[in-house]
Amino acid sequence: MPIDKNTLVVLNNNLDIVKTKLQDSGINQVFFNEYISNISVVDAKENVLYIKTKNIFAKQTLNTDYKNQIRKLFNEINKSNYCLEFIVENDLNLKFKTNPIQHQTIKEDNNSNINKHYQFTNFVVSNFNKSAYNAIRTILTDACWNQIFITGGVGLGKTHLLHAIGNEYKIHFPNKIVKYIPIDDFIREVYNAFSIGGNSVELLKQKYESYDLLLFDDVQFLEKKEKINEIFFNIFNKATANNKIIIMTCDKDISQLKNLENRMKSRFSSGLVVKISKPDLKSVKTILENKLKESNTKIILTNDVINYICGRYSTDIRQLEGFLHHILFYCINNDLPPNAIINLDLIKKITMEENNESINKFGFDVDPNLIIDQVCSLYFVDPEIIKSKDRTKQVTQIRQVCMYILRKKFNMNYAQIGSFFSGRDHSTVMESIEKIEKKVKSDVEFENFLTNLYKKI
């Protein structure tokens, strides 16, 4: 039940006093006017104060940089001990949600640890993560796996998937109990139970036995934790035996968990194992576009900047999002207009790069590394050797072919090309390309080879 209107008025009056104190403290005025002046208390429940913010960017920035300060000031003024949760309009809509199938209304369950922001609606599905997405959604059907293990590099959306399925599962099965827990938190829980003693460990096991859907994040941290593993293994076995559902994520393949007991690796492998691979450039661009929409910003990123961001952070979407926040805050901190155009020159200022080498390595519609990989695969040679300073005749010729294609097919300048081959200078790259041009004119077979190679890229 929401708080009464009188209480809400009091809480917002006290929040206004907090705003005044923040403004007097010398906070950036542009940021204050745009993102703090309009925050408001919308609810208070179980010692949690829910404060509505303008958009996702405001929510995340307040959480990162101002949460403790606002909480301390508010509780001093209100003579309370509230925890703060910043939310956006979408979070409000999700506090009470109707199941379209069963027409039941469910309340938000704070004990589940599920982040309401992570939904399937804002999760980009593409070839790199399609298998994991399809696998995890099977738990919403009758034909499901009750044990799923998702692997993939850092920042590729594994955590988003866990929260998204947790949110969706609670809608489809409102009477089921869901729990999301990072393994770090689980480890702390177990150590705490050990320190208390008595029957604390058994009570902990019983608690986990009560959950219908367990979402364990980052199980690689179970390595070298023998005592913890015993408890986890017991919970895991009990859950699967009782047809409970366990979904786990890991940033390593199961075979790479060298410091984990074989019996645990064997059990993890017995369920459905799926992998999230490195995303292609097109998918990363779509993700960036979605993040821009979520931030509710009007800034315009040039194509070069979009290519730069996506190329630089193609292996870690979390870093991509962080860099986007960095850009948005730069715009606010430097009083740029809401519809500012962000070009590469501005990116150089934002990143404070002393040279252009890192800028030169990105900003292309096609990832040059993929082109180099494709050429090397046709020659059956390791791309890292071609990018190295190795000067043997065969390696040099393949490197020259790569340089020639990057120049002719993708119109990269000599300095940009050199940055992908151990920082070779523009004169070396120019000479290499000229050698291939001469060979094309004098060797018909070589010309045909390059033509066929072009078609395959």
Side-chain angles (χ1 to χ4, degrees):
M1 182 177 178
I3 57 175
D4 62 84
K5 290 182 179 180
N6 291 334
T7 304
L8 196 60
V9 168
V10 171
L11 292 174
N12 274 301
N13 286 340
N14 288 337
L15 183 61
D16 287 339
I17 298 172
V18 172
K19 294 177 193 177
T20 302
K21 287 182 176 291
L22 284 172
Q23 194 171 22
D24 293 342
S25 70
I27 191 172
N28 179 277
Q29 193 61 43
V30 177
F31 181 83
F32 178 85
N33 292 340
E34 188 72 16
Y35 297 109
I36 294 182
S37 64
N38 52 17
I39 63 175
S40 61
V41 178
V42 292
D43 201 359
K45 184 172 59 176
E46 296 177 1
N47 215 37
V48 178
L49 195 70
Y50 295 92
I51 300 178
K52 182 184 173 184
T53 61
K54 183 176 181 179
N55 54 35
I56 293 295
F57 169 67
K59 172 183 173 179
Q60 292 175 334
T61 304
L62 288 170
N63 266 321
T64 303
D65 299 325
Y66 299 101
K67 187 172 186 175
N68 290 336
Q69 188 178 2
I70 294 174
R71 178 181 179 274
K72 183 179 178 182
L73 286 170
F74 185 89
N75 284 327
E76 285 176 357
I77 295 162
N78 198 63
K79 294 182 172 53
S80 56
N81 190 30
Y82 278 117
C83 296
L84 303 189
E85 183 172 335
F86 295 107
I87 60 177
V88 292
E89 191 66 42
N90 189 47
D91 296 327
L92 280 173
N93 295 336
L94 285 163
K95 284 183 76 65
F96 294 93
K97 192 157 187 174
T98 303
N99 186 332
I101 300 171
Q102 300 175 359
H103 303 290
Q104 296 182 39
T105 302
I106 61 170
K107 287 187 177 182
E108 179 178 5
D109 176 14
N110 292 321
N111 294 324
S112 69
N113 288 340
I114 300 295
N115 188 325
K116 294 297 180 181
H117 171 63
Y118 294 120
Q119 302 283 332
F120 285 126
T121 53
N122 59 2
F123 183 80
V124 175
V125 182
S126 192
N127 288 333
F128 78 99
N129 60 12
K130 190 176 180 180
S131 293
Y133 172 81
N134 287 336
I136 210 167
R137 285 189 67 90
T138 63
I139 73 166
L140 304 174
T141 68
D142 292 332
C144 73
W145 283 267
N146 70 333
Q147 180 194 328
I148 301 174
F149 194 96
I150 302 171
T151 69
V154 174
L156 294 183
K158 300 186 300 296
T159 298
H160 189 145
L161 261 183
L162 288 187
H163 286 289
I165 193 60
N167 283 313
E168 195 78 9
Y169 190 82
K170 289 199 293 182
I171 294 169
H172 281 72
F173 308 103
N175 296 321
K176 299 287 187 179
I177 306 174
V178 178
K179 183 69 171 181
Y180 164 83
I181 184 163
I183 284 296
D184 272 350
D185 289 353
F186 175 78
I187 290 170
R188 279 191 288 271
E189 271 194 285
V190 177
Y191 277 139
N192 186 51
F194 283 149
S195 65
I196 294 171
N199 66 341
S200 298
V201 172
E202 289 306 313
L203 290 174
L204 179 67
K205 290 179 184 178
Q206 289 172 22
K207 183 182 79 168
Y208 276 89
E209 286 172 19
S210 70
Y211 300 128
D212 299 291
L213 172 61
L214 275 167
L215 305 167
F216 285 111
D217 208 359
D218 290 324
V219 297
Q220 70 273 6
F221 294 125
L222 287 173
E223 288 190 289
K224 297 183 179 179
K225 299 285 191 305
E226 291 182 12
K227 289 184 178 179
I228 306 295
N229 287 347
E230 191 66 38
I231 307 299
F232 185 88
F233 194 63
N234 188 281
I235 291 170
F236 180 92
N237 284 338
K238 274 281 185 72
T240 52
N242 293 322
N243 290 319
K244 303 294 182 73
I245 302 172
I246 295 183
I247 303 177
M248 297 167 283
T249 70
C250 184
D251 65 7
K252 299 177 182 179
D253 290 338
I254 295 175
S255 60
Q256 294 177 322
L257 297 170
K258 305 295 184 185
N259 297 304
L260 196 66
E261 295 178 66
N262 287 331
R263 62 172 182 163
M264 290 188 69
K265 288 192 284 187
S266 176
R267 289 306 304 269
F268 290 166
S269 301
S270 66
L272 179 63
V273 181
V274 287
K275 184 172 183 177
I276 297 178
S277 57
K278 178 183 174 182
D280 57 87
L281 207 58
K282 183 179 178 182
S283 299
V284 180
K285 285 183 179 181
T286 303
I287 292 169
L288 177 60
E289 289 169 3
N290 283 5
K291 298 295 181 186
L292 271 172
K293 288 177 184 176
E294 287 178 7
S295 68
N296 199 27
T297 181
K298 295 179 181 178
I299 66 167
I300 299 168
L301 305 182
T302 64
N303 286 335
D304 282 346
V305 169
I306 290 172
N307 291 331
Y308 167 77
I309 296 172
C310 294
R312 182 166 188 168
Y313 300 108
S314 62
T315 59
D316 193 329
I317 305 306
R318 199 176 294 130
Q319 285 189 3
L320 178 146
E321 187 174 12
F323 187 70
L324 179 59
H325 291 161
H326 188 40
I327 293 173
L328 295 174
F329 189 74
Y330 179 91
C331 293
I332 294 166
N333 208 37
N334 290 274
D335 298 328
L336 298 185
N339 59 344
I341 297 175
I342 311 300
N343 55 30
L344 275 181
D345 288 334
L346 195 57
I347 290 293
K348 291 173 186 176
K349 292 180 182 178
I350 294 171
T351 57
M352 294 184 290
E353 296 282 1
E354 294 182 0
N355 58 62
N356 295 336
E357 184 177 344
S358 66
I359 302 290
N360 288 337
K361 283 190 174 184
F362 306 101
F364 312 108
D365 289 321
V366 177
D367 185 352
N369 286 303
L370 295 178
I371 305 307
I372 296 168
D373 289 351
Q374 283 183 291
V375 174
C376 291
S377 68
L378 293 170
Y379 277 102
F380 301 101
V381 66
D382 185 351
E384 294 306 314
I385 296 175
I386 302 303
K387 295 175 186 177
S388 73
K389 295 186 178 182
D390 190 314
R391 294 186 180 181
T392 56
K393 186 176 179 180
Q394 184 186 13
V395 170
T396 299
Q397 184 172 346
I398 298 170
R399 184 183 298 125
Q400 289 170 348
V401 170
C402 291
M403 291 178 174
Y404 175 84
I405 291 173
L406 291 174
R407 174 67 175 172
K408 297 298 180 182
K409 192 172 179 70
F410 301 102
N411 199 31
M412 290 172 58
N413 65 44
Y414 299 123
Q416 288 172 332
I417 295 171
S419 68
F420 287 90
F421 300 94
S422 301
R424 284 175 166 78
D425 60 46
H426 75 281
S427 60
T428 302
V429 176
M430 187 186 300
E431 184 182 341
S432 297
I433 292 171
E434 286 174 354
K435 286 181 179 179
I436 297 299
E437 286 174 339
K438 288 179 182 178
K439 187 170 177 63
V440 167
K441 291 177 181 178
S442 61
D443 189 334
V444 177
E445 287 186 10
F446 183 69
E447 182 184 13
N448 291 336
F449 170 78
L450 277 185
T451 301
N452 291 329
L453 195 152
Y454 259 59
K455 292 176 181 178
K456 294 177 180 179
I457 293 175

